[in-house]
Amino acid sequence: MKTHEIRNRFTQHFVNAGHEAVPSASLILDDPNLLFVNAGMVPFKPYFLGQQNPPFANGTATSIQKCVRTLDIEEVGITTRHNTFFQMAGNFSFGQYFKEGAITLAWGLLTNSVEEGGFGLDPERLWVTVYLDDDEAADIWHEKIGVPRERIQRLGMEDNYWSMGIPGPCGPCSEIYYDRGPEYGKEGGPVADDNRYMEIWNLVFMQNERGEGIGKGNFEILGPLPKKNIDTGMGVERVACILQGVENVYETDLLRPVIDVAEQLTGARYTEDADPQDLIRFRVVADHSRTGMMLILDGVTPSNEGRGYILRRLLRRIIRSARLLGAKDATMSKFMNSIMDTMEPSYPEIGENRERILRVAVAEEKAFLKTLESGTKLFDDAVAGLKSAAAKKLTGDKAFELHDTYGFPIDLTLEMAAEAGLEVDMEGFNAAMGEQRRRAKADNQAKKHGHVDQSIYREWLDNHPTEFTGFDTLESDAKVLGLVRDGQKVTDVQVGDEVEVILDRTPLYAEAGGQLADRGRIVAGDTLLEVGDVQKIGKQLWVHKAKVTAGGLDLGSTVSAEVDPRWRHGAVQAHSATHLIHAALRQVLGPTAVQAGSLNRPGYLRFDFNYTEQLTPAQLEEIALITNQAVDAHFDVNTIETTLDHAKDMGAMALFGENYGSEVRVVEIGGPFSIELCGGTHVANSAEIGPVSVLGESSVGSGARRIEAYSGMDAFRYYSKEAALIEGVSRELKVQPEDLPERIANLTEKLRAAEKEIAQLRKAQLMAGVGELLNQAQDVSGFRVLTAALPEGATGGDLRTVATDLRNRVKDEPAVILLTARDGAKLPFIVAATKPAIERGVKAGDLVKRFGEYVEGRGGGKPDMAQGSGSHPDGAQQGFQAIKDLLETL
């Protein structure tokens, strides 16, 4: 049974049982504790936490959620059942059915025949575990379902008690295992061998509230929840592994095609008798290709921190694994195309993002291949140092430095060390790696915290969602439904109080979608509250953060909520300009340039987009031109309330990481020119935006760029300032503005010529004194040694030129030349050694390091020439003497 059919059967089974099918959320959610969605229940947390009432008609739901877990990336391919990306099929009950309902539904799907819509698993091969004292679940399994007592095993909190790892809902769970047969391990059920007995489904009976604590079992259970809920998770990949009769989750119909491609590209073979390390590498390629592709699909781009770092690490593990398998050329494009082909039937959005995904992945591959080149050079330098010292083992610290600082993989270090006849201190490397992981885990734990207590808003969320009137008006009469001061509900507020105000209706826009919240005021008679921010709770409750500047306000009062018209005017100009720039960008760069975030405030916007190359001045100019042509075209701005499916059919663009409801708002500017899903406020006609001045674009991470621009009067002021600047330069250079580029180019050319001439004169002056310098050389134990400081202003290049000339003049003698030059607070220096000196044991690199100790500097190079730079010029004379003392010992 193909994986796509497994997904469809799961969903249909629970829809038939009255559950509402909920689409998978993005892998990226606004959750302070998660880099990625890592469990099927994550999008439902507000309902389990009691912050919101579930919006499902029957109080039940089902979903197949995209998940990513990367805590133990190094374990991928070693076990038979772990993927970094996986699909968690789940059914959820919010106070409807409980243990018996969850158990019955799960058992039915697993054991019903294929003809009946089930998976047709043999009931005799299914085992279950329950929590130690959960007699209720054990009795249901035995008495209602008919599972023999000997196939029901009890486990403790570490295994069969669930929580989110922080204070919140928790409860015992029951796990379902499939016996894969004696060829996979010993008998005795899951407690005896969790390889033979593969866990396929976890049923969580969410009935309690946990307190503070660390770990899976070290916390207090505070008491029962108001409602008993169900959260289950069936591993789609694990069920596919069983139904398809393959050895592990890497060989299912979704991932095996990538392994086949890897065989073609590397020449290695994925067979039972293959090297175990090669098998792991094949699985890493398959697993990480899918995870990387899905992360890019949801808007992640490679970087050195956060989500981007995880993606970069995954992609680089693919590249190095393929390389170790024997790949010589680039592989990423073929891996990505293969996994997109297998995944697209379940995720059709892959099709429209295929080119962008390839662009990001291939760009990272190119960057990493360059890193491998530089890492190889650093490795070679380290090996040369070892051999010169007659050592046979690369230190763990050096191996870790190559891995951590330069991104050079440890497995490549091991392979290359073996080729060089060296060992690697893996104990030291593992100790350094372990210390890094401990720091990372401690940092991660420090950042975790309990969910912000939003229960204070629950009454209004459930009964009085805010009516937003701001699309049509800037002023609305409203009733004060709630007042919150210092985190507590109050019945009145006075002058000076900072307060959160809940109104039944409001024209003030709450911050969302990159558009900052409106500024405004709340007025009632002599009472005035200045509103500085508006935030949404649960996407349906507007919370006005205000300060009482006059009078007082009571709960239940009737007030007038008013938007600052100047603020709104500037905000809508910037927001609508953002849509125009997005449309212009896609016209110039193509569909692979997709929005990755934005910020709009009155008169200013920034627009982030996924793109791997710097824009040329011509491209940026064309984007600005198309944007302002759209302004000049007087396009009408239309908004349409429709279904999500219809909006997609219209071609409306959606933002990555956003989870849209079934009803959405489409903003259309100029018909097909710009169509986007957007809940923000906009101008009525593009002409109202006024001029848009594109300031420039820049990189904000690997594969991510940013355009910044002014709109309206801010754009006009910017242009005026630029015009004044051009006028001033034109007047100073005595040319017309249109002749400035040519005039500046001529001046620049003359300046470069003058600088070149000065440099040549300085070099000639230096070279004229070379013969005089040699007269200063001293004899040190048979070495001809010259230590000298060149005139101030000499550069590092001058040092190399003079040192090379001096060495050539005394090449037949054992000679050492040490030169310095003063460059402000810096002291560049160089050491050159002749061949006879090298034969007597001199190494320029060693002398540079010794000299660097006295001038607070460092450097390196080859035995015949090495350079460095220091920050303590006053130590030069001591350094000169130290070099002479060292030569006396040779």
Side-chain angles (χ1 to χ4, degrees):
M1 188 180 295
K2 298 296 185 184
T3 302
H4 303 300
E5 185 179 348
I6 294 171
R7 288 168 45 97
N8 292 338
R9 282 175 178 262
F10 183 95
T11 301
Q12 193 58 51
H13 177 77
F14 285 100
V15 168
N16 291 344
H19 294 64
E20 181 174 330
V22 179
S24 172
S26 168
L27 285 167
I28 306 167
L29 289 184
D30 185 17
D31 189 311
N33 295 312
L34 296 175
L35 279 178
F36 306 111
V37 171
N38 63 358
M41 60 77 63
V42 170
F44 300 96
K45 280 199 294 188
Y47 316 129
F48 288 129
L49 290 167
Q51 296 172 350
Q52 300 177 39
N53 278 337
F56 315 116
N58 296 326
T60 58
T62 184
S63 72
I64 298 179
Q65 174 62 44
K66 300 179 291 187
C67 300
V68 167
R69 291 180 187 170
T70 57
L71 186 61
D72 297 310
I73 289 178
E74 287 82 2
E75 298 302 312
V76 168
I78 298 175
T79 69
T80 62
R81 59 195 183 278
H82 285 108
N83 292 129
T84 50
F85 171 90
F86 56 96
Q87 301 169 90
M88 188 59 74
N91 57 288
F92 309 92
S93 169
F94 307 99
Q96 302 303 310
Y97 60 82
F98 198 49
K99 292 182 182 179
E100 183 173 345
I103 290 171
T104 303
L105 285 166
W107 187 261
L109 177 59
L110 292 175
T111 62
N112 286 347
S113 68
V114 174
E115 292 73 21
E116 295 174 307
F119 295 143
L121 295 180
D122 181 358
E124 300 300 316
R125 303 186 74 166
L126 295 177
W127 290 61
V128 296
T129 61
V130 298
Y131 181 55
L132 285 174
D133 63 1
D134 194 354
D135 295 332
E136 180 186 1
D139 289 342
I140 293 170
W141 278 116
H142 178 62
E143 297 172 7
K144 302 288 184 181
I145 303 300
V147 179
R149 292 282 186 190
E150 59 269 21
R151 294 214 311 271
I152 303 172
Q153 297 183 327
R154 296 178 185 250
L155 296 172
M157 291 191 77
E158 290 289 327
D159 298 292
N160 274 64
Y161 202 93
W162 177 90
S163 79
M164 286 186 284
I166 53 178
C170 63
C173 59
S174 180
E175 296 173 337
I176 305 174
Y177 291 79
Y178 181 81
D179 180 3
R180 300 201 293 163
E183 64 270 30
Y184 290 96
K186 60 185 177 181
E187 296 184 5
V191 298
D193 191 327
D194 65 357
N195 182 53
R196 169 175 170 173
Y197 301 89
M198 180 184 284
E199 179 196 345
I200 57 176
W201 207 329
N202 186 12
L203 314 178
V204 176
F205 310 131
M206 207 177 293
Q207 61 190 49
N208 298 318
E209 182 180 358
R210 70 160 277 177
E212 298 286 348
I214 299 175
K216 291 186 176 181
N218 184 25
F219 57 83
E220 181 183 2
I221 298 174
L222 303 179
L225 292 172
K227 289 183 179 180
K228 295 180 178 180
N229 303 315
I230 287 293
D231 156 32
T232 86
M234 187 197 81
V236 172
E237 282 75 15
R238 296 187 185 188
V239 172
C241 178
I242 293 167
L243 293 180
Q244 294 172 18
V246 295
E247 292 292 311
N248 53 63
V249 293
Y250 311 103
E251 298 173 14
T252 63
D253 61 314
L254 297 186
L255 295 184
R256 178 63 205 227
V258 185
I259 292 178
D260 295 340
V261 171
E263 285 186 314
Q264 296 168 13
L265 294 176
T266 65
R269 290 292 170 261
Y270 186 81
T271 58
E272 289 185 5
D273 57 353
D275 184 326
Q277 289 301 312
D278 279 354
L279 295 179
I280 292 172
R281 289 163 187 150
F282 273 116
R283 294 165 186 166
V284 165
V285 167
D287 173 89
H288 289 6
S289 292
R290 179 170 65 168
T291 307
M293 184 274 292
M294 296 301 291
L295 290 178
I296 298 171
L297 176 66
D298 276 8
V300 182
T301 55
S303 68
N304 288 327
E305 59 184 18
R307 298 183 179 103
Y309 175 73
I310 296 295
L311 174 59
R312 169 162 287 167
R313 188 177 175 199
L314 291 170
L315 295 179
R316 292 188 170 191
R317 279 173 61 84
I318 297 170
I319 299 163
R320 78 179 191 236
S321 295
R323 186 185 178 98
L324 289 170
L325 285 169
K328 303 299 182 184
D329 301 317
T331 58
M332 190 63 71
S333 176
K334 292 184 178 179
F335 290 152
M336 285 291 151
N337 273 315
S338 175
I339 198 63
M340 285 191 284
D341 288 342
T342 65
M343 295 295 289
E344 190 172 345
S346 288
Y347 302 95
E349 62 269 27
I350 289 173
E352 61 195 56
N353 288 282
R354 183 178 286 258
E355 187 179 346
R356 178 180 60 83
I357 292 169
L358 283 174
R359 183 190 290 270
V360 172
V362 169
E364 182 61 21
E365 179 178 39
K366 290 179 180 177
F368 185 48
L369 289 177
K370 291 181 180 178
T371 295
L372 287 179
E373 290 178 10
S374 60
T376 300
K377 183 180 183 305
L378 290 163
F379 174 84
D380 290 342
D381 290 343
V383 169
L386 285 175
K387 289 187 174 179
S388 67
K392 290 290 184 182
K393 181 177 284 191
L394 187 70
T395 67
D397 287 343
K398 176 58 71 175
F400 181 73
E401 180 186 5
L402 284 165
H403 166 81
D404 189 55
T405 305
Y406 300 103
F408 201 64
I410 184 61
D411 38 15
L412 281 182
T413 300
L414 288 168
E415 181 185 48
M416 293 171 64
E419 291 173 354
L422 300 172
E423 298 178 1
V424 178
D425 175 17
M426 286 305 297
E427 185 175 341
F429 173 83
N430 290 331
M433 180 67 80
E435 179 59 31
Q436 184 196 56
R437 285 177 179 160
R438 281 190 291 274
R439 289 195 302 269
K441 286 184 178 180
D443 181 60
N444 186 51
Q445 189 63 40
K447 291 177 180 177
K448 280 194 171 186
H449 52 76
H451 294 270
V452 176
D453 184 8
Q454 295 182 347
S455 59
I456 195 170
Y457 306 106
R458 179 66 184 272
E459 172 193 346
W460 303 304
L461 273 169
D462 290 348
N463 303 311
H464 302 288
T466 307
E467 176 190 355
F468 178 62
T469 63
F471 291 134
D472 305 311
T473 183
L474 298 182
E475 183 176 343
S476 292
D477 289 336
K479 183 178 180 181
V480 178
L481 300 180
L483 296 169
V484 178
R485 184 181 59 213
D486 299 329
Q488 301 293 324
K489 292 182 180 180
V490 294
T491 58
D492 62 89
V493 291
Q494 305 300 324
V495 171
D497 286 346
E498 294 187 357
V499 60
E500 294 180 350
V501 184
I502 315 295
L503 303 175
D504 63 342
R505 58 205 308 264
T506 181
L508 284 97
Y509 182 78
E511 181 177 355
Q515 181 177 340
L516 296 186
D518 278 334
R519 302 294 186 267
R521 59 185 194 165
I522 296 172
V523 181
D526 295 332
T527 295
L528 176 62
L529 287 79
E530 298 288 348
V531 179
D533 189 18
V534 188
Q535 295 293 322
K536 281 186 198 176
I537 302 293
K539 294 189 176 182
Q540 57 184 341
L541 187 73
W542 269 240
V543 177
H544 304 75
K545 299 186 177 184
K547 183 172 183 178
V548 184
T549 58
L553 189 63
D554 296 325
L555 193 64
S557 299
T558 298
V559 297
S560 175
E562 303 170 2
V563 179
D564 180 339
R566 291 187 61 186
W567 177 277
R568 171 67 73 83
H569 179 64
V572 297
Q573 284 180 313
H575 195 168
S576 297
T578 301
H579 283 227
L580 298 187
I581 284 180
H582 191 188
L585 190 76
R586 290 172 63 81
Q587 283 192 33
V588 174
L589 303 181
T592 59
V594 180
Q595 182 173 355
S598 66
L599 174 76
N600 310 291
R601 65 170 185 256
Y604 167 84
L605 67 93
R606 70 176 188 226
F607 181 87
D608 295 345
F609 58 102
N610 293 321
Y611 202 67
T612 55
E613 301 170 10
Q614 182 179 359
L615 271 60
T616 65
Q619 287 173 323
L620 206 59
E621 183 178 350
E622 187 176 3
I623 290 166
L625 177 62
I626 293 172
T627 299
N628 282 286
Q629 284 175 337
V631 171
D632 190 54
H634 287 245
F635 286 144
D636 285 334
V637 179
N638 301 309
T639 57
I640 306 164
E641 302 283 345
T642 185
T643 65
L644 180 59
D645 289 340
H646 183 238
K648 290 180 177 178
D649 291 340
M650 293 170 59
M653 295 196 62
L655 289 181
F656 289 120
E658 285 289 328
N659 291 294
Y660 298 96
S662 57
E663 295 293 320
V664 295
R665 186 169 182 267
V666 178
V667 175
E668 176 192 80
I669 306 178
F673 181 81
S674 171
I675 307 176
E676 294 190 33
L677 297 180
C678 181
T681 56
H682 288 273
V683 297
N685 185 284
S686 63
E688 296 175 26
I689 296 172
V692 178
S693 60
V694 176
L695 306 179
E697 68 94 37
S698 59
S699 170
V700 289
S702 178
R705 313 292 300 179
R706 171 175 292 171
I707 285 179
E708 296 181 89
Y710 290 132
S711 60
M713 286 302 297
D714 286 86
F716 172 77
R717 282 188 282 268
Y718 172 77
Y719 283 135
S720 297
K721 183 178 178 181
E722 291 290 293
L725 177 62
I726 291 172
E727 175 63 27
V729 175
S730 299
R731 190 166 51 251
E732 184 69 24
L733 297 181
K734 297 181 173 60
V735 295
Q736 293 298 314
E738 58 269 22
D739 296 327
L740 271 178
E742 182 180 355
R743 176 65 169 154
I744 292 173
N746 289 336
L747 288 173
T748 301
E749 187 177 346
K750 289 181 179 180
L751 179 61
R752 286 173 181 164
E755 290 175 342
K756 185 177 181 180
E757 184 177 352
I758 292 170
Q760 290 173 340
L761 289 171
R762 186 178 65 248
K763 185 174 292 187
Q765 187 179 16
L766 284 171
M767 299 308 296
V770 167
E772 181 64 29
L773 282 175
L774 277 178
N775 295 332
Q776 302 176 22
Q778 299 175 338
D779 182 273
V780 179
S781 296
F783 290 102
R784 190 172 184 180
V785 180
L786 170 63
T787 58
L790 297 187
E792 188 164 352
T795 65
D798 294 335
L799 285 176
R800 178 172 286 271
T801 299
V802 174
T804 300
D805 185 72
L806 286 168
R807 184 183 59 186
N808 290 338
R809 294 189 184 209
V810 291
K811 62 182 179 180
D812 296 328
E813 304 176 43
V816 175
I817 297 127
L818 170 55
L819 304 176
T820 66
R822 192 69 177 263
D823 183 12
K826 296 292 184 181
L827 185 79
F829 52 89
I830 192 168
V831 174
T834 60
K835 186 175 180 181
I838 295 172
E839 291 172 349
R840 287 188 55 185
V842 170
K843 293 179 182 177
D846 292 345
L847 298 184
V848 156
K849 291 176 182 177
R850 174 62 65 88
F851 185 77
E853 295 173 4
Y854 293 89
V855 295
E856 297 180 7
R858 57 188 301 180
K862 298 179 179 179
D864 63 336
M865 186 170 288
Q867 283 185 266
S869 180
S871 58
H872 180 56
D874 293 341
Q877 291 303 320
Q878 287 180 285
F880 288 154
Q881 187 58 49
I883 296 301
K884 294 173 184 177
D885 293 343
L886 178 61
L887 291 173
E888 287 182 350
T889 66
L890 297 180

